Amino acid sequence: MSKLVVEGGNRLEGSIRIPGAKNTVLPILAATIISGKESVIEDCPEIKDVELTVEILKNLGCKIKREGRTLTVDSSDISDYTIKEELMDKMRSSIILTGAILARMKKAKTTYPGGCELGLRPIDLHIKAFKELNISVVEEGGYIMFDGENAHSGDIHLAFPSVGATENIMLVATTIKGTTKIINAAKEPEISDLADFLNKMGCRVLGAGTSVITIEGADSFSNVNHTLIPDRIVAATVMAAAAVTGSTVEINNVNTEHIGAVISAFREMGVLVFKTMDNSVVVSAAGRIKPLNLLRTSPYPGFPTDAQSIITSVLSVADGTSIVIENIFEQRFKHTEELIKMGADVTVDGRCAVIKGVDRLKGAKVSARDLRSGAALVVAGLCADGFTEIDNLYHIDRGYENTLLDLREIGAKITKV
Ligand code: UD1
């Protein structure tokens, strides 16, 4: 089994480019199913979750070509509506494919989704919304069968602004006659990017980025060429790497609006963050990190849950005590058990972590427990004394290109063995 070995204590310098966002490429790949045309996706990240989604699309009958960072999907010959169990198991976000498959085929067949181990990750909001659009949902022999032959438009009030449920409703509504309205929709930038893609395809999606989104069904679509928004969580990871190593790093291809809450937290920790050009920032840190009195994760535009583990690593070497409250997912503090092996002083009680900053972390053998906790351990390793060995790299590969080895471009000493 391969491991990352991170040598701590080295300054970083130089510039690094952020790739297209994982959380936007997945729903957009799903959306390519709907049109029966050719979709060209630019700046497509080379990560495991994309590979898995591509595999699912090929299984359904799509023809897919990758040339560097450009992915072309031709969905004209789709013939199947089943997502195989072994593929569904590997990725929770595969649930959003059901909305797209239903929009195209009027039927879909899946199992319950797998993916990141972040505690209970139900799909009740997706199912409830489908039923409200008169899509029948029946469990049979371990499979979930969706039938959208009699689907009709309607108003859907989400009990929580779930990102995945908002995407799934947007996708399924693209071919339902009339106007479907989502109330209390998620406002994440990935939702707006999906809406942009759908509108280029010939749909009429209004209100993305606000809490009310309307989708008017269409019956013909066109070819699309779309460049993905940059990955805001990869940007947050590089910022954390610069912060813990007391470095100055330029980050290119970043949308500062999308990471407003993250920039604000880093500034509160005493890290300088300034915009150099439209899509570049310089992050500069020196001396001890200041603690955060209270950091709460919340839906966009609040502080993203996906950056919580990464920032916990930074706070573990802050000059004082910080409190972090995780409001989105249970069990998203698994990385703290690993950080403790590196000498961090963290106490977790339910959704709350109290982090007493220590002078130094020390290298240790640790395990990536989920995607972002893996990245958090790389960040911790960069400032620890000695060598940190990280295993379970498949988690990191789901969402970071080249197992984060690209940090070597800015001087990080990381090897994969
Ligand atoms: C997406 C992101 C993930 C991010 C999360 C929150 C993708 C591929 N993943 O995940 O990286 O951490 O948004 O920003 O885009 N919930 C229910 N019932 C449901 C659906 C969700 O109770 O039917 C709950 C979840 O258990 C969780 C919360 O709602 O507690 C947020 O989930 P959601 O916004 O749906 O996240 P995902 O779309 O899974």
Side-chain angles (χ1 to χ4, degrees):
M1 193 170 51
S2 40
K3 287 179 185 177
L4 277 189
V5 179
V6 185
E7 184 187 333
N10 296 294
R11 281 257 159 78
L12 310 180
E13 69 173 328
S15 59
I16 193 162
R17 184 184 181 278
I18 304 299
K22 161 181 140 356
N23 286 355
T24 185
V25 70
L26 301 179
I28 285 176
L29 277 172
T32 63
I33 295 173
I34 299 168
S35 65
K37 295 271 162 64
E38 193 172 273
S39 305
V40 180
I41 303 170
E42 307 279 8
D43 207 11
C44 184
E46 296 181 29
I47 52 174
K48 198 80 198 163
D49 272 8
V50 168
E51 269 176 43
L52 282 169
T53 311
V54 162
E55 215 178 310
I56 297 174
L57 294 189
K58 281 185 177 164
N59 260 279
L60 297 172
C62 292
K63 290 191 220 56
I64 302 185
K65 192 170 69 192
R66 194 193 248 282
E67 286 164 318
R69 308 189 75 78
T70 305
L71 198 76
T72 306
V73 183
D74 174 353
S75 65
S76 51
D77 288 335
I78 284 197
S79 48
D80 201 354
Y81 55 79
T82 304
I83 306 178
K84 293 209 176 102
E85 189 176 355
E86 61 270 26
L87 294 172
M88 194 77 186
D89 272 356
K90 287 186 186 153
M91 208 174 65
R92 177 192 147 85
S93 44
S94 42
I95 186 66
I96 51 161
L97 288 159
T98 53
I101 297 172
L102 270 166
R104 176 76 188 275
M105 308 292 285
K106 308 295 166 212
K107 278 189 178 15
K109 187 176 166 188
T110 65
T111 54
Y112 275 94
C116 242
E117 299 289 323
L118 300 179
L120 202 62
R121 293 189 79 168
I123 54 166
D124 56 315
L125 298 173
H126 302 243
I127 306 276
K128 185 166 177 276
F130 282 157
K131 287 185 174 165
E132 282 173 36
L133 297 173
N134 205 32
I135 294 164
S136 99
V137 184
V138 180
E139 279 184 57
E140 225 174 73
Y143 275 91
I144 317 176
M145 317 286 292
F146 300 85
D147 188 331
E149 282 302 343
N150 300 314
H152 59 60
S153 56
D155 289 0
I156 292 162
H157 198 127
L158 286 175
F160 180 85
S162 152
V163 175
T166 302
E167 290 165 347
N168 230 344
I169 302 165
M170 288 165 73
L171 292 167
V172 76
T174 53
T175 60
I176 299 178
K177 217 167 170 222
T179 304
T180 296
K181 193 192 255 187
I182 313 172
I183 301 138
N184 198 25
K187 294 185 272 196
E188 270 68 2
E190 292 76 20
I191 301 284
S192 303
D193 206 27
L194 173 62
D196 285 348
F197 180 89
L198 292 174
N199 286 333
K200 285 182 195 169
M201 201 170 93
C203 304
R204 275 178 300 271
V205 182
L206 295 174
T210 75
S211 54
V212 179
I213 299 177
T214 57
I215 309 104
E216 245 179 79
D219 45 27
S220 69
F221 301 100
S222 32
N223 292 340
V224 186
N225 189 307
H226 184 78
T227 303
L228 300 172
I229 57 169
D231 196 308
R232 59 196 171 107
I233 307 302
V234 176
T237 308
V238 176
M239 290 169 81
V244 290
T245 52
S247 305
T248 300
V249 170
E250 183 183 38
I251 310 177
N252 298 320
N253 195 36
V254 62
N255 184 323
T256 47
E257 205 182 304
H258 295 170
I259 52 167
V262 173
I263 291 179
S264 160
F266 275 104
R267 286 189 174 143
E268 205 180 325
M269 292 189 283
V271 178
L272 296 175
V273 184
F274 47 93
K275 214 168 157 170
T276 46
M277 283 180 295
D278 248 8
N279 59 356
S280 295
V281 288
V282 167
V283 182
S284 186
R288 276 303 277 282
I289 297 289
K290 291 188 199 145
L292 293 177
N293 285 342
L294 183 60
L295 180 79
R296 290 188 176 93
T297 64
S298 59
Y300 189 82
F303 190 89
T305 173
D306 285 351
Q308 178 266 108
S309 11
I310 297 150
I311 214 146
T312 309
S313 287
V314 183
L315 294 173
S316 70
V317 289
D319 190 14
T321 301
S322 309
I323 295 178
V324 174
I325 299 181
E326 172 55 59
N327 285 313
I328 309 296
F329 290 109
E330 314 114 42
Q331 296 180 33
R332 211 169 196 182
F333 281 126
K334 287 184 185 164
H335 56 291
T336 60
E337 292 167 21
E338 305 299 310
L339 286 176
I340 289 167
K341 292 181 192 162
M342 298 176 72
D345 184 346
V346 187
T347 310
V348 173
D349 186 356
R351 288 176 178 267
C352 176
V354 178
I355 305 143
K356 290 187 187 153
V358 295
D359 276 349
R360 313 271 317 156
L361 292 175
K362 54 182 190 311
K365 288 187 178 181
V366 289
S367 286
R369 305 282 288 273
D370 57 53
L371 164 59
R372 305 302 170 186
S373 83
L377 294 174
V378 173
V379 167
L382 289 173
C383 68
D385 287 335
F387 294 88
T388 299
E389 275 184 32
I390 306 167
D391 63 17
N392 284 348
L393 301 183
Y394 61 93
H395 285 301
I396 299 178
D397 289 333
R398 284 191 44 222
Y400 291 92
E401 292 190 330
N402 206 12
T403 332
L404 273 166
L405 288 169
D406 292 349
L407 288 174
R408 293 194 293 207
E409 285 169 25
I410 49 173
K413 296 244 175 355
I414 310 178
T415 43
K416 195 169 179 176
V417 293

